[in-house]
């Protein structure tokens, strides 16, 4: 069978062509919880279909989306008050791209794309608020200064000006005072004890104006201060502190005002996420030749040339092209399919792709098949291979039975059951008896469409006994001395000696092969004698 376990993540990897964090999260939610609302699913598919056709618009959209950061995450930080200047700016710049997105889908026709268009609030006020306030390259923390853009706040500009242009300002005072007093040698100076002062020589001290206040007398010079200098000194010393506290206040206020629009921003973010998911699914459909699934109430499940979305991407040319397969189940004559064939023949892949196609369809994605007509499924139940939950000391078989019990107890007629190799963990006849009883229970009680892959060839006899149970086999072809697994699934039961054929082609000694054929004949004889 195919590699197990990580199917979900790998399917996500194939589908995840989203360009934003929000889109990525929404896609994952949809994959994990497909919709059961036919109208909702059809609307999603209609939107995907429209963007699938609009190749150029889709490319432009995805280009624009690529420039939008995770608005939801950024907004959460803004509302919590933990967003720094760069995060607030990132929010503003992302919001700034919304109008372009809206324009790109303004002419779309599908109901859902129209709804997304209407759900995109351009938030011009928020973008303007943030982008006018925050500098182009703000620091990581407000405390580092330089968060607020020049021209946003007059007092802040003045303080910054003061801080930067102190030298020039002092030179201006000096020139003015020299002219006013006529003392050519007058100097304005600064020291840590006195701060700013005017110094003139003793010889000129009689020229000192009345508003000069004596500060210090030296041997050959007098030092004075003036109200203007005192004021300037306060201003300069305070400027540094004021700048930071003012920037902090302004930033906090802008962040608060942006946060106050959280509801509108959130609504827009979710419209962006949905647009992103729609464009991503259209992209995946375009790249991988997916088709639109149809839903009906007839209970029929019909897949034409279905493929496994992950494996078809993994198998390059060297692995041989992925072989598409059909599937047909209904509520009556084809309720349960028993699938036999060699282990490597692709049974698990066939089972998984059926489940994945149903999931993709109900999440609103196109599917890897030429055609798919499906019922709305309430749940998909899978029990694939022996799971390795051997922690807590539960045997493989116990785990398997617990999971099978959960399926039999909760599945409804609208469920889809996919069972692979149930009963492997116990003795052959126990396992066979349990598998047999499980099929009967599903057939009579549950009435859920079921694919049951098995290595118990005896189960193929159920097809003759129960109306609605049919056999499928995985075909294999030999080419000279090696097997080519056609992996084509077709009606009928597998040939019993498949295992021996595989062993022969794998190169087991001929004597062992011959002996195994004799043993098989012997067993078949005794078995028929018993039954």
């Amino acid at each position: 069978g195919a590699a197990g376990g990580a199917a979900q993540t790998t399917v996500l990897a194939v589908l995840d062509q989203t360009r934003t964090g929000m889109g990525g999260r929404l896609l994952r939610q949809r994959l994990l919880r497909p919709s059961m609302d036919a109208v909702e699913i059809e609307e999603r598919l209609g939107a995907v279909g429209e963007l699938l056709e609009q190749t150029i618009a889709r490319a432009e959209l995805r280009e624009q989306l690529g420039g939008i950061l995770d608005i939801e995450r950024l907004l959460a930080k803004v509302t919590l008050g933990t967003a720094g200047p760069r995060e607030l700016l990132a929010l503003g710049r992302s919001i700034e791209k919304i109008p372009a997105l809206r324009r790109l889908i303004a002419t779309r026709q599908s109901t859902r794309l129209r709804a997304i268009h209407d759900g995109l609030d351009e938030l011009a006020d928020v973008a303007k608020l943030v982008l006018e306030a925050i500098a182009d390259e703000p620091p990581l923390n407000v405390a580092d200064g330089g968060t607020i853009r020049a021209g946003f706040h007059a007092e802040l500009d003045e303080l910054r000006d003061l801080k930067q242009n102190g030298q020039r300002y002092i030179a201006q005072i000096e020139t003015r005072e020299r002219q006013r007093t006529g003392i050519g040698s007058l100097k304005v100076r600064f020291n840590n004890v006195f701060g700013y002062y005017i110094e003139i020589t003793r010889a000129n001290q009689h020229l000192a104006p009345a508003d000069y206040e004596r500060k210090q007398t030296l041997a050959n010079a007098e030092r004075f201060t003036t109200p203007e200098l005192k004021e300037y000194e306060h201003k300069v010393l305070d400027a540094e502190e004021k700048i930071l506290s003012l920037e902090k206040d302004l930033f906090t206020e802008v962040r608060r005002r942006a946060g106050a629009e959280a509801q509108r921003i959130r609504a827009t973010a979710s419209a962006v996420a949905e647009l992103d998911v729609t464009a991503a699914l259209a992209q995946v459909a375009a790249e991988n030749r997916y088709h639109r699934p149809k839903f009906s109430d007839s209970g029929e499940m019909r897949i034409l040339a279905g493929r496994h979305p992950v494996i078809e991407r993994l198998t390059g040319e060297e692995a041989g092209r992925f072989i598409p397969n059909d599937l047909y189940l209904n509520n009556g004559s084809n309720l349960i399919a028993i699938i036999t064939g060699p282990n490597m023949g692709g049974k698990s892949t066939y089972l998984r792709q059926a489940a994945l196609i149903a999931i993709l369809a109900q999440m609103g994605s196109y599917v890897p098949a030429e055609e798919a007509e499906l019922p709305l499924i309430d749940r998909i139940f899978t029990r694939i291979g022996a799971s390795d939950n051997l922690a807590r000391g539960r045997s493989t078989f116990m785990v398997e039975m617990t999971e099978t019990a959960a399926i039999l107890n909760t599945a409804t007629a609208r469920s889809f059951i996919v069972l692979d190799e149930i009963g492997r963990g116990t003795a052959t006849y126990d396992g066979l008896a349990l598998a047999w009883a499980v099929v009967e229970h599903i057939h009579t009680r549950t009435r859920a469409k079921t694919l049951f892959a098995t290595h118990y060839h005896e189960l193929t006899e159920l097809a003759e006994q129960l109306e609605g149970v049919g056999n499928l086999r995985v075909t294999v072809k030999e080419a000279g001395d090696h097997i080519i697994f056609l992996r084509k699934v077709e009606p009928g039961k597998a040939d019993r000696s498949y295992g021996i054929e595989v062993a022969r082609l794998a190169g087991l000694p001929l004597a062992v092969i011959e002996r195994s054929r004799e043993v098989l004949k012997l067993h078949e004889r005794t078995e028929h004698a018993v039954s």
Side-chain angles (χ1 to χ4, degrees), residues 227-242:
E228 180 187 21
L229 268 184
K230 273 189 193 155
E231 193 190 339
Y232 179 72
E233 187 175 309
H234 279 302
K235 257 190 176 166
V236 170
L237 297 177
D238 290 353
E240 193 80 30
E241 230 172 274
K242 270 209 187 122

Side-chain angles (χ1 to χ4, degrees), residues 306-379:
R307 316 184 305 270
H308 189 298
V310 182
I311 294 176
E312 74 165 345
R313 291 284 295 272
L314 301 179
T315 55
E317 289 307 308
E318 69 286 349
R321 225 166 39 70
F322 184 88
I323 309 287
N325 269 309
D326 303 343
L327 169 68
Y328 179 77
L329 294 174
N330 62 25
N331 290 341
S333 56
N334 290 66
L335 184 69
I336 298 172
I338 306 280
I339 306 165
T340 46
N343 279 343
M344 293 165 56
K347 285 182 298 200
S348 295
T349 302
Y350 181 70
L351 263 56
R352 283 195 170 88
Q353 84 191 29
L356 288 173
I357 285 171
I359 289 170
L360 290 188
Q362 280 184 228
M363 74 178 275
S365 168
Y366 276 41
V367 298
E370 286 308 307
E371 282 178 37
E373 182 169 351
L374 307 163
L376 270 184
I377 292 164
D378 61 5
R379 280 176 80 176

